[in-house]
Coordinates of all heavy atoms in Angstrom, one line a residue:
E1 N 108.1 177.0 140.9 CA 107.8 177.2 139.5 C 106.5 176.4 139.2 O 105.8 176.8 138.2 CB 108.9 176.7 138.6 CG 109.6 177.9 138.0 CD 110.7 177.5 137.0 OE1 110.2 177.0 135.9 OE2 111.9 177.6 137.3
S2 N 106.2 175.4 139.9 CA 105.0 174.6 139.6 C 103.7 175.4 139.9 O 102.6 175.1 139.4 CB 105.0 173.3 140.4 OG 104.9 173.6 141.8
D3 N 103.8 176.5 140.6 CA 102.6 177.3 140.9 C 102.4 178.4 139.8 O 101.3 179.1 139.8 CB 102.8 178.1 142.2 CG 102.8 177.1 143.4 OD1 102.3 176.0 143.3 OD2 103.3 177.5 144.5
L4 N 103.3 178.5 138.9 CA 103.1 179.5 137.8 C 102.0 179.1 136.8 O 101.9 177.9 136.4 CB 104.4 179.7 137.1 CG 105.6 180.3 137.9 CD1 106.9 180.4 137.0 CD2 105.2 181.7 138.4
N5 N 101.3 180.1 136.4 CA 100.2 179.8 135.3 C 100.7 180.2 134.0 O 100.1 180.0 133.0 CB 99.0 180.6 135.7 CG 98.3 180.1 136.9 OD1 98.2 178.9 137.1 ND2 97.8 181.0 137.8
A6 N 101.9 180.8 133.9 CA 102.5 181.2 132.6 C 104.0 181.4 132.9 O 104.4 181.5 134.0 CB 101.9 182.6 132.2
P7 N 104.8 181.4 131.8 CA 106.2 181.6 131.9 C 106.5 183.0 132.6 O 105.8 184.0 132.3 CB 106.7 181.6 130.5 CG 105.7 180.8 129.7 CD 104.4 181.1 130.4
I8 N 107.5 183.0 133.4 CA 107.8 184.3 134.2 C 108.1 185.4 133.2 O 107.7 186.6 133.5 CB 109.0 184.0 135.2 CG1 109.1 185.2 136.2 CG2 110.3 183.8 134.4 CD1 107.9 185.2 137.1
Q9 N 108.7 185.2 132.1 CA 109.0 186.3 131.1 C 107.7 186.9 130.7 O 107.6 188.1 130.5 CB 109.8 185.8 130.0 CG 110.2 186.9 129.0 CD 111.2 187.9 129.6 OE1 111.9 187.6 130.6 NE2 111.3 189.0 128.9
G10 N 106.7 186.1 130.4 CA 105.4 186.6 130.0 C 104.7 187.5 131.0 O 104.1 188.5 130.7
G11 N 104.9 187.0 132.3 CA 104.3 187.8 133.4 C 105.0 189.1 133.5 O 104.4 190.2 133.8
H12 N 106.4 189.1 133.3 CA 107.1 190.3 133.4 C 106.7 191.3 132.4 O 106.5 192.5 132.6 CB 108.6 190.0 133.3 CG 109.5 191.2 133.2 ND1 109.7 192.1 134.2 CD2 110.2 191.7 132.1 CE1 110.4 193.1 133.8 NE2 110.7 192.9 132.5
I13 N 106.6 190.8 131.1 CA 106.2 191.7 130.0 C 104.8 192.3 130.2 O 104.6 193.5 130.0 CB 106.4 191.0 128.7 CG1 107.8 190.8 128.4 CG2 105.7 191.8 127.5 CD1 108.1 189.8 127.2
S14 N 103.9 191.4 130.7 CA 102.5 191.9 130.9 C 102.5 193.0 132.0 O 101.8 194.0 131.8 CB 101.7 190.7 131.4 OG 101.5 189.8 130.3
S15 N 103.2 192.8 133.1 CA 103.1 193.8 134.1 C 103.9 195.1 133.7 O 103.5 196.2 134.0 CB 103.7 193.3 135.4 OG 105.0 192.9 135.3
A16 N 105.0 194.9 132.9 CA 105.7 196.1 132.4 C 104.8 196.9 131.5 O 104.9 198.2 131.5 CB 107.0 195.6 131.7
L17 N 104.0 196.3 130.7 CA 103.1 197.0 129.8 C 102.1 197.9 130.7 O 101.8 199.0 130.3 CB 102.3 196.1 128.9 CG 103.1 195.5 127.8 CD1 102.3 194.5 127.0 CD2 103.6 196.6 126.8
C18 N 101.6 197.3 131.8 CA 100.7 198.0 132.7 C 101.4 199.2 133.3 O 100.9 200.3 133.3 CB 100.2 197.1 133.7 SG 99.1 195.8 133.1
H19 N 102.6 199.0 133.8 CA 103.4 200.1 134.4 C 103.7 201.2 133.4 O 103.6 202.4 133.7 CB 104.7 199.6 135.0 CG 104.4 198.7 136.2 ND1 103.7 199.1 137.3 CD2 104.8 197.4 136.5 CE1 103.6 198.1 138.2 NE2 104.3 197.0 137.7
T20 N 104.1 200.8 132.2 CA 104.4 201.8 131.1 C 103.2 202.6 130.8 O 103.2 203.8 130.6 CB 104.9 201.0 129.9 OG1 106.1 200.3 130.2 CG2 105.3 202.0 128.8
S21 N 102.0 201.9 130.7 CA 100.8 202.7 130.4 C 100.5 203.7 131.5 O 100.0 204.8 131.2 CB 99.6 201.7 130.3 OG 99.8 200.8 129.2
N22 N 100.7 203.3 132.8 CA 100.4 204.2 133.9 C 101.4 205.4 133.8 O 101.0 206.5 134.1 CB 100.6 203.5 135.2 CG 99.4 202.7 135.5 OD1 98.3 203.0 135.1 ND2 99.6 201.6 136.3
I23 N 102.6 205.2 133.5 CA 103.6 206.3 133.4 C 103.2 207.2 132.2 O 103.2 208.4 132.4 CB 105.0 205.7 133.1 CG1 105.5 205.0 134.4 CG2 106.0 206.8 132.7 CD1 106.8 204.2 134.2
S24 N 102.8 206.6 131.1 CA 102.3 207.5 130.0 C 101.1 208.3 130.4 O 101.1 209.5 130.1 CB 101.9 206.6 128.8 OG 101.3 207.3 127.8
Y25 N 100.2 207.7 131.1 CA 99.0 208.4 131.6 C 99.4 209.6 132.5 O 98.9 210.7 132.4 CB 98.0 207.5 132.2 CG 96.8 208.1 132.9 CD1 95.8 208.5 132.1 CD2 96.8 208.4 134.2 CE1 94.7 209.2 132.7 CE2 95.7 209.1 134.8 CZ 94.7 209.5 134.0 OH 93.6 210.1 134.6
R26 N 100.2 209.3 133.5 CA 100.6 210.3 134.5 C 101.4 211.4 133.8 O 101.3 212.5 134.3 CB 101.5 209.6 135.6 CG 100.6 208.7 136.4 CD 101.4 207.9 137.4 NE 102.0 208.8 138.4 CZ 103.0 208.4 139.2 NH1 103.5 207.2 139.1 NH2 103.5 209.2 140.1
L27 N 102.1 211.2 132.7 CA 102.8 212.3 132.1 C 101.9 212.9 131.0 O 102.4 213.9 130.4 CB 104.1 211.7 131.4 CG 105.1 211.2 132.4 CD1 106.3 210.6 131.6 CD2 105.7 212.4 133.2
G28 N 100.7 212.4 130.8 CA 99.9 213.0 129.7 C 99.2 214.3 130.1 O 99.5 214.8 131.2
A29 N 98.3 214.7 129.2 CA 97.6 216.0 129.4 C 96.1 215.8 129.2 O 95.7 215.1 128.3 CB 98.2 217.1 128.5
H30 N 95.4 216.5 130.0 CA 93.9 216.6 129.8 C 93.6 217.4 128.6 O 94.2 218.5 128.4 CB 93.2 217.2 131.0 CG 93.4 216.5 132.3 ND1 92.9 215.2 132.5 CD2 94.0 216.8 133.4 CE1 93.2 214.8 133.7 NE2 93.9 215.8 134.3
Q31 N 92.8 216.8 127.7 CA 92.4 217.5 126.5 C 91.0 217.1 126.1 O 90.4 216.1 126.5 CB 93.4 217.0 125.4 CG 94.8 217.4 125.6 CD 95.7 216.9 124.5 OE1 95.3 217.0 123.3 NE2 96.9 216.6 124.8
A32 N 90.5 218.0 125.2 CA 89.1 217.7 124.7 C 89.2 216.6 123.6 O 90.3 216.4 123.0 CB 88.6 219.0 124.0
P33 N 88.2 215.8 123.5 CA 88.2 214.7 122.5 C 88.6 215.1 121.1 O 89.4 214.4 120.5 CB 86.7 214.2 122.5 CG 86.2 214.6 123.9 CD 86.9 215.9 124.2
D34 N 88.2 216.2 120.6 CA 88.5 216.7 119.3 C 90.0 217.0 119.1 O 90.6 216.7 118.1 CB 87.7 217.9 118.8 CG 86.2 217.5 118.6 OD1 85.9 216.3 118.4 OD2 85.4 218.4 118.6
A35 N 90.6 217.5 120.2 CA 92.0 217.8 120.2 C 92.8 216.5 120.2 O 93.9 216.4 119.5 CB 92.4 218.6 121.4
I36 N 92.4 215.5 120.9 CA 93.0 214.2 120.9 C 92.9 213.6 119.5 O 93.9 213.1 119.0 CB 92.4 213.3 122.0 CG1 92.8 213.8 123.4 CG2 92.9 211.8 121.8 CD1 92.2 213.1 124.5
R37 N 91.7 213.6 118.9 CA 91.6 213.0 117.6 C 92.5 213.7 116.6 O 93.1 213.0 115.7 CB 90.1 213.3 117.1 CG 89.2 212.2 117.6 CD 87.9 212.3 116.7 NE 87.0 211.2 117.1 CZ 86.0 211.3 118.0 NH1 85.7 212.4 118.5 NH2 85.3 210.2 118.2
E38 N 92.7 215.0 116.7 CA 93.6 215.7 115.8 C 95.1 215.2 116.0 O 95.8 215.0 115.0 CB 93.5 217.2 116.1 CG 94.4 218.1 115.2 CD 94.1 218.0 113.7 OE1 92.9 217.7 113.3 OE2 95.0 218.2 112.9
Q39 N 95.5 215.0 117.2 CA 96.8 214.6 117.5 C 97.1 213.2 117.0 O 98.3 212.9 116.7 CB 97.2 214.8 119.0 CG 97.3 216.2 119.4 CD 97.7 216.3 120.8 OE1 98.7 215.7 121.2 NE2 97.0 217.1 121.6
I40 N 96.1 212.3 117.1 CA 96.4 210.9 116.7 C 96.0 210.5 115.3 O 96.1 209.4 114.9 CB 95.7 210.0 117.8 CG1 94.2 210.1 117.7 CG2 96.3 210.2 119.2 CD1 93.5 209.1 118.6
K41 N 95.5 211.5 114.5 CA 94.9 211.2 113.2 C 95.9 210.5 112.3 O 95.5 209.8 111.4 CB 94.3 212.4 112.6 CG 95.4 213.5 112.1 CD 94.7 214.6 111.5 CE 95.7 215.7 111.1 NZ 95.0 216.9 110.6
G42 N 97.2 210.7 112.5 CA 98.2 210.0 111.6 C 98.5 208.6 112.1 O 99.3 207.9 111.4
N43 N 97.9 208.1 113.2 CA 98.2 206.8 113.7 C 96.9 206.0 113.6 O 96.0 206.2 114.4 CB 98.7 206.9 115.2 CG 99.1 205.6 115.8 OD1 98.4 204.6 115.5 ND2 100.1 205.6 116.5
A44 N 96.9 205.1 112.6 CA 95.7 204.3 112.4 C 95.2 203.5 113.6 O 94.0 203.4 113.8 CB 95.9 203.4 111.1
I45 N 96.2 202.9 114.3 CA 95.8 202.0 115.4 C 95.2 202.9 116.6 O 94.2 202.5 117.1 CB 97.0 201.2 115.9 CG1 97.4 200.2 114.8 CG2 96.8 200.5 117.2 CD1 98.7 199.5 115.0
A46 N 95.9 204.0 116.9 CA 95.4 204.9 117.9 C 94.0 205.4 117.6 O 93.1 205.5 118.4 CB 96.4 206.0 118.2
S47 N 93.9 205.8 116.3 CA 92.6 206.4 115.9 C 91.5 205.3 116.0 O 90.4 205.6 116.5 CB 92.7 206.9 114.4 OG 93.5 208.0 114.4
A48 N 91.7 204.1 115.6 CA 90.7 203.0 115.6 C 90.4 202.7 117.1 O 89.2 202.5 117.4 CB 91.2 201.8 114.9
T49 N 91.4 202.7 118.0 CA 91.2 202.5 119.4 C 90.3 203.6 120.0 O 89.4 203.3 120.7 CB 92.5 202.4 120.1 OG1 93.3 201.3 119.6 CG2 92.3 202.1 121.6
F50 N 90.6 204.8 119.6 CA 89.8 206.0 120.1 C 88.4 205.8 119.7 O 87.4 206.1 120.4 CB 90.4 207.3 119.7 CG 89.8 208.5 120.3 CD1 90.3 209.0 121.5 CD2 88.7 209.1 119.7 CE1 89.7 210.1 122.1 CE2 88.1 210.2 120.3 CZ 88.6 210.7 121.5
D51 N 88.2 205.5 118.4 CA 86.8 205.4 117.9 C 86.1 204.3 118.6 O 84.9 204.4 118.9 CB 86.9 205.1 116.3 CG 87.4 206.3 115.6 OD1 87.3 207.4 116.1 OD2 87.8 206.1 114.4
R52 N 86.7 203.1 118.9 CA 86.0 202.1 119.6 C 85.6 202.5 121.0 O 84.5 202.2 121.5 CB 86.9 200.8 119.7 CG 86.9 200.0 118.4 CD 87.5 198.6 118.6 NE 88.8 198.6 119.4 CZ 90.0 198.8 118.8 NH1 90.1 199.0 117.6 NH2 91.1 198.7 119.6
M53 N 86.5 203.3 121.6 CA 86.2 203.8 123.0 C 85.0 204.7 122.9 O 84.1 204.6 123.7 CB 87.4 204.5 123.6 CG 87.1 205.1 124.9 SD 88.3 206.4 125.5 CE 88.0 207.7 124.3
A54 N 85.0 205.6 121.9 CA 83.9 206.6 121.7 C 82.6 205.8 121.5 O 81.6 206.2 122.1 CB 84.2 207.5 120.6
E55 N 82.6 204.8 120.7 CA 81.4 204.0 120.4 C 80.9 203.3 121.7 O 79.7 203.3 121.9 CB 81.7 203.0 119.3 CG 81.9 203.6 117.9 CD 82.3 202.5 116.9 OE1 82.3 201.3 117.2 OE2 82.8 202.9 115.9
H56 N 81.8 202.8 122.5 CA 81.4 202.1 123.7 C 80.8 203.1 124.7 O 79.8 202.8 125.3 CB 82.7 201.5 124.3 CG 82.4 200.9 125.7 ND1 81.8 199.8 125.9 CD2 82.8 201.4 126.9 CE1 81.7 199.6 127.2 NE2 82.3 200.5 127.9
L57 N 81.4 204.3 124.8 CA 80.9 205.3 125.7 C 79.5 205.8 125.2 O 78.6 205.9 126.1 CB 81.8 206.5 125.9 CG 83.1 206.1 126.6 CD1 84.1 207.3 126.5 CD2 82.9 205.6 128.0
A58 N 79.3 206.0 123.9 CA 78.1 206.4 123.4 C 77.0 205.4 123.6 O 75.8 205.7 124.0 CB 78.2 206.7 121.9
A59 N 77.3 204.1 123.5 CA 76.4 203.0 123.7 C 76.0 202.9 125.2 O 74.9 202.4 125.5 CB 77.0 201.7 123.3
N60 N 76.7 203.5 126.1 CA 76.4 203.5 127.5 C 76.0 204.9 128.0 O 76.1 205.2 129.1 CB 77.6 203.0 128.3 CG 77.8 201.5 128.1 OD1 77.1 200.8 128.7 ND2 78.7 201.1 127.2
N61 N 75.5 205.7 127.0 CA 74.9 207.1 127.3 C 75.9 208.0 128.0 O 75.5 208.8 128.9 CB 73.6 206.9 128.1 CG 72.6 206.1 127.3 OD1 72.4 206.4 126.1 ND2 71.9 205.2 128.0
I62 N 77.2 207.9 127.6 CA 78.2 208.8 128.2 C 78.6 209.8 127.1 O 79.0 209.4 126.0 CB 79.4 208.1 128.7 CG1 79.0 207.2 129.9 CG2 80.5 209.1 129.1 CD1 80.0 206.3 130.4
D63 N 78.4 211.1 127.3 CA 78.7 212.1 126.3 C 80.2 212.4 126.3 O 80.7 213.0 127.2 CB 77.9 213.4 126.7 CG 78.2 214.5 125.7 OD1 78.7 214.2 124.6 OD2 77.9 215.7 126.0
L64 N 80.8 212.0 125.3 CA 82.3 212.1 125.1 C 82.7 213.6 125.1 O 83.7 214.0 125.7 CB 82.8 211.4 123.9 CG 84.2 211.3 123.7 CD1 84.9 210.5 124.8 CD2 84.6 210.7 122.3
Q65 N 81.8 214.4 124.5 CA 82.2 215.8 124.3 C 82.2 216.6 125.7 O 82.9 217.6 125.8 CB 81.3 216.5 123.3 CG 81.4 216.0 121.9 CD 82.8 216.1 121.4 OE1 83.5 217.1 121.6 NE2 83.3 215.0 120.7
S66 N 81.5 216.1 126.6 CA 81.4 216.7 127.9 C 82.4 216.1 128.9 O 82.4 216.4 130.1 CB 80.0 216.7 128.5 OG 79.7 215.4 128.8
S67 N 83.2 215.2 128.4 CA 84.2 214.5 129.3 C 85.6 215.0 129.0 O 86.0 215.3 127.9 CB 84.2 213.0 129.0 OG 82.9 212.4 129.2
E68 N 86.4 215.1 130.1 CA 87.8 215.5 129.9 C 88.6 214.2 129.9 O 88.5 213.4 130.7 CB 88.2 216.4 131.1 CG 89.6 216.9 130.9 CD 90.0 217.9 132.1 OE1 90.2 217.4 133.2 OE2 90.0 219.1 131.8
L69 N 89.4 214.1 128.8 CA 90.1 212.9 128.6 C 91.6 213.2 128.8 O 92.0 214.4 128.8 CB 89.9 212.4 127.2 CG 88.5 212.1 126.8 CD1 88.4 211.7 125.3 CD2 87.8 211.1 127.7
T70 N 92.4 212.2 129.0 CA 93.8 212.3 129.1 C 94.5 211.6 127.9 O 94.3 210.4 127.8 CB 94.4 211.8 130.4 OG1 93.8 212.5 131.5 CG2 95.9 211.9 130.5
L71 N 95.3 212.3 127.2 CA 96.1 211.7 126.2 C 97.5 211.4 126.8 O 98.2 212.4 127.1 CB 96.2 212.5 124.9 CG 97.1 212.0 123.8 CD1 96.6 210.6 123.3 CD2 97.2 213.0 122.7
G72 N 97.9 210.2 126.9 CA 99.2 209.9 127.5 C 100.3 210.3 126.7 O 100.2 210.4 125.4
Q73 N 101.5 210.5 127.3 CA 102.7 210.8 126.6 C 103.2 209.6 125.8 O 103.1 208.5 126.3 CB 103.8 211.3 127.5 CG 105.0 211.8 126.8 CD 106.0 212.2 127.9 OE1 106.9 211.5 128.3 NE2 105.9 213.5 128.3
H74 N 103.6 209.8 124.6 CA 104.2 208.7 123.8 C 105.5 208.4 124.4 O 106.4 209.2 124.6 CB 104.4 209.2 122.3 CG 105.0 208.1 121.5 ND1 104.3 207.0 121.0 CD2 106.3 207.9 121.0 CE1 105.1 206.2 120.3 NE2 106.3 206.8 120.3
L75 N 105.7 207.1 124.7 CA 107.0 206.6 125.3 C 107.7 205.7 124.4 O 107.0 204.8 123.7 CB 106.7 205.9 126.6 CG 106.0 206.8 127.7 CD1 105.7 205.9 128.9 CD2 106.9 207.9 128.1
Q76 N 109.0 205.8 124.3 CA 109.8 204.8 123.5 C 110.7 204.1 124.5 O 111.6 204.8 125.1 CB 110.6 205.6 122.5 CG 111.3 204.7 121.5 CD 110.5 203.9 120.6 OE1 109.4 204.4 120.1 NE2 110.8 202.6 120.4
M77 N 110.5 202.8 124.7 CA 111.3 202.1 125.6 C 112.5 201.3 124.9 O 112.3 200.8 123.9 CB 110.5 201.1 126.4 CG 111.3 200.3 127.4 SD 110.3 199.1 128.4 CE 109.7 200.1 129.7
D78 N 113.6 201.4 125.6 CA 114.8 200.5 125.1 C 114.6 199.2 125.8 O 114.7 199.1 127.0 CB 116.1 201.2 125.6 CG 117.3 200.4 125.2 OD1 117.1 199.2 124.8 OD2 118.4 200.9 125.4
P79 N 114.3 198.1 125.0 CA 114.0 196.8 125.7 C 115.2 196.2 126.4 O 115.1 195.5 127.3 CB 113.6 196.0 124.5 CG 114.0 196.6 123.3 CD 114.2 198.1 123.6
A80 N 116.4 196.6 126.0 CA 117.6 196.1 126.6 C 117.8 196.6 128.1 O 118.2 195.9 129.0 CB 118.9 196.4 125.8
T81 N 117.5 197.9 128.2 CA 117.7 198.5 129.6 C 116.4 198.7 130.3 O 116.4 199.1 131.5 CB 118.4 199.9 129.4 OG1 117.5 200.7 128.6 CG2 119.7 199.7 128.8
E82 N 115.2 198.5 129.6 CA 113.9 198.8 130.1 C 113.8 200.2 130.7 O 113.3 200.4 131.8 CB 113.5 197.7 131.1 CG 113.3 196.4 130.5 CD 112.8 195.3 131.4 OE1 112.6 195.5 132.6 OE2 112.5 194.2 130.9
T83 N 114.4 201.1 130.0 CA 114.3 202.6 130.3 C 113.8 203.3 129.1 O 113.7 202.8 128.0 CB 115.7 203.1 130.8 OG1 116.6 203.0 129.7 CG2 116.2 202.4 132.0
F84 N 113.6 204.6 129.3 CA 113.1 205.5 128.2 C 114.2 206.5 127.8 O 114.3 207.5 128.5 CB 111.8 206.2 128.7 CG 110.7 205.3 129.2 CD1 110.6 205.2 130.6 CD2 109.9 204.5 128.4 CE1 109.6 204.3 131.1 CE2 109.0 203.7 128.9 CZ 108.8 203.6 130.3
P85 N 114.9 206.2 126.8 CA 116.0 207.1 126.4 C 115.4 208.5 126.1 O 114.4 208.6 125.5 CB 116.5 206.4 125.1 CG 116.2 205.0 125.2 CD 114.8 205.0 125.9
S86 N 116.1 209.5 126.5 CA 115.7 210.9 126.3 C 114.4 211.3 126.9 O 113.8 212.3 126.5 CB 115.7 211.2 124.8 OG 117.0 210.9 124.2
Q87 N 113.9 210.5 127.9 CA 112.7 210.9 128.6 C 112.9 210.7 130.1 O 112.4 209.8 130.7 CB 111.6 209.9 128.1 CG 111.2 210.2 126.6 CD 110.1 209.3 126.1 OE1 110.3 208.1 125.9 NE2 109.0 209.8 125.9
P88 N 113.6 211.7 130.7 CA 113.9 211.6 132.1 C 112.7 211.6 133.0 O 112.7 211.0 134.1 CB 114.8 212.8 132.3 CG 114.6 213.8 131.2 CD 114.2 212.9 130.0
D89 N 111.6 212.3 132.6 CA 110.4 212.3 133.4 C 109.8 210.9 133.6 O 109.4 210.6 134.6 CB 109.4 213.3 132.9 CG 109.8 214.7 133.0 OD1 110.7 215.0 133.7 OD2 109.2 215.6 132.3
A90 N 109.9 210.2 132.5 CA 109.4 208.8 132.5 C 110.3 207.9 133.3 O 109.9 207.1 134.1 CB 109.2 208.3 131.1
N91 N 111.6 208.1 133.1 CA 112.6 207.3 133.8 C 112.5 207.5 135.3 O 112.7 206.6 136.1 CB 114.0 207.5 133.4 CG 114.3 206.9 132.0 OD1 113.8 205.8 131.7 ND2 115.0 207.6 131.2
A92 N 112.1 208.7 135.7 CA 112.0 209.0 137.2 C 110.9 208.2 137.8 O 110.9 208.1 139.0 CB 111.8 210.5 137.4
M93 N 110.0 207.7 137.0 CA 108.8 207.0 137.6 C 109.1 205.5 137.6 O 108.3 204.7 138.1 CB 107.6 207.2 136.8 CG 107.1 208.7 136.9 SD 105.6 208.9 136.0 CE 105.3 210.6 136.2
L94 N 110.3 205.0 137.2 CA 110.6 203.6 137.3 C 111.2 203.4 138.6 O 112.0 204.2 139.1 CB 111.7 203.3 136.2 CG 111.2 203.4 134.7 CD1 112.4 203.2 133.8 CD2 110.1 202.4 134.4
K95 N 110.8 202.3 139.3 CA 111.2 202.0 140.6 C 112.5 201.2 140.6 O 112.6 200.3 139.8 CB 110.2 201.3 141.4 CG 109.1 202.1 141.9 CD 108.2 201.4 142.9 CE 107.2 202.3 143.4 NZ 106.6 201.9 144.6
T96 N 113.4 201.6 141.5 CA 114.7 200.7 141.6 C 114.8 200.2 143.0 O 115.5 199.3 143.3 CB 115.9 201.6 141.3 OG1 115.9 202.7 142.1 CG2 115.9 202.0 139.8
E97 N 114.0 200.8 143.9 CA 114.0 200.3 145.3 C 112.6 200.0 145.7 O 111.6 200.7 145.3 CB 114.5 201.4 146.3 CG 116.0 201.7 146.0 CD 116.6 202.7 147.0 OE1 116.0 202.8 148.1 OE2 117.5 203.4 146.7
Y98 N 112.4 198.9 146.4 CA 111.1 198.4 146.8 C 110.9 198.4 148.3 O 111.9 198.3 149.0 CB 110.9 197.0 146.2 CG 111.0 197.0 144.7 CD1 112.2 196.9 144.0 CD2 109.8 197.1 144.0 CE1 112.2 196.9 142.7 CE2 109.8 197.2 142.6 CZ 111.1 197.0 141.9 OH 111.1 197.1 140.6
R99 N 109.7 198.4 148.7 CA 109.3 198.4 150.1 C 109.5 197.0 150.7 O 108.9 196.1 150.1 CB 107.8 198.9 150.2 CG 107.3 198.9 151.6 CD 105.8 199.5 151.6 NE 105.0 198.9 150.6 CZ 104.2 197.9 150.8 NH1 104.2 197.3 151.9 NH2 103.4 197.4 149.8
A100 N 110.2 196.9 151.7 CA 110.4 195.6 152.4 C 109.0 195.1 152.9 O 108.2 195.9 153.3 CB 111.4 195.7 153.5
P101 N 108.7 193.9 152.8 CA 109.6 192.7 152.4 C 109.5 192.4 150.9 O 110.0 191.4 150.5 CB 109.0 191.6 153.2 CG 107.6 191.8 153.2 CD 107.5 193.4 153.4
F102 N 108.9 193.3 150.1 CA 108.7 193.1 148.7 C 109.9 193.6 147.9 O 109.9 194.6 147.3 CB 107.5 193.8 148.2 CG 106.2 193.4 149.0 CD1 105.7 194.3 150.0 CD2 105.6 192.2 148.8 CE1 104.6 194.0 150.7 CE2 104.5 191.9 149.6 CZ 104.0 192.7 150.5
V103 N 111.0 192.9 148.1 CA 112.3 193.3 147.4 C 112.6 192.3 146.3 O 112.1 191.2 146.2 CB 113.4 193.3 148.4 CG1 113.2 194.3 149.5 CG2 113.6 191.9 149.1
V104 N 113.3 192.8 145.3 CA 113.8 192.0 144.2 C 115.3 191.8 144.5 O 116.1 192.7 144.7 CB 113.6 192.8 142.9 CG1 114.2 192.0 141.7 CG2 112.2 193.1 142.7
T105 N 115.6 190.5 144.5 CA 117.1 190.1 144.7 C 117.7 189.4 143.5 O 117.0 189.0 142.6 CB 117.2 189.2 145.9 OG1 116.4 188.0 145.7 CG2 116.7 189.9 147.2

């Protein structure tokens, strides 16, 4: 434990967020930027995040309109079980068995 830079629970939550994001992305769909804006317009946080990304890309001379983007699937996780109720496709991407010697005991 003396080698840890943060509490183990914090590390677990941080890595779980990364894995959840990857699952959302993998279950998402390629869409045009305007179609994504339309779908997220009711979510102020998602809209603000999208706008910041668009500004960043524009500042780096990347044409957002000629880019194919992926809108990830909205996932709802049950924190007690760390699964996605009613989302079997997402649950199928959760690992329960690991490659030796990287096992969880």
Side-chain angles (χ1 to χ4, degrees):
E1 256 186 68
S2 63
D3 292 342
L4 295 177
N5 292 319
I8 194 70
Q9 184 67 18
H12 170 70
I13 291 170
S14 294
S15 62
L17 287 171
C18 294
H19 293 304
T20 300
S21 297
N22 283 332
I23 291 169
S24 170
Y25 174 80
R26 291 173 64 193
L27 293 173
H30 297 298
Q31 297 182 34
D34 290 340
I36 292 175
R37 276 196 174 99
E38 181 63 26
Q39 289 185 52
I40 64 173
K41 70 181 178 184
N43 184 319
I45 294 171
S47 293
T49 300
F50 188 90
D51 290 342
R52 281 195 313 276
M53 177 196 68
E55 289 171 14
H56 172 76
L57 294 175
N60 288 282
N61 299 316
I62 297 173
D63 180 17
L64 186 65
Q65 295 305 317
S66 66
S67 301
E68 187 174 72
L69 305 177
T70 298
L71 177 61
Q73 185 179 95
H74 179 78
L75 299 175
Q76 185 69 40
M77 180 180 272
D78 176 351
T81 62
E82 296 186 354
T83 61
F84 307 102
S86 304
Q87 293 179 288
D89 291 345
N91 286 322
M93 294 185 184
L94 297 172
K95 286 192 174 196
T96 56
E97 294 184 27
Y98 297 86
R99 177 176 51 89
F102 306 102
V103 296
V104 177
T105 57

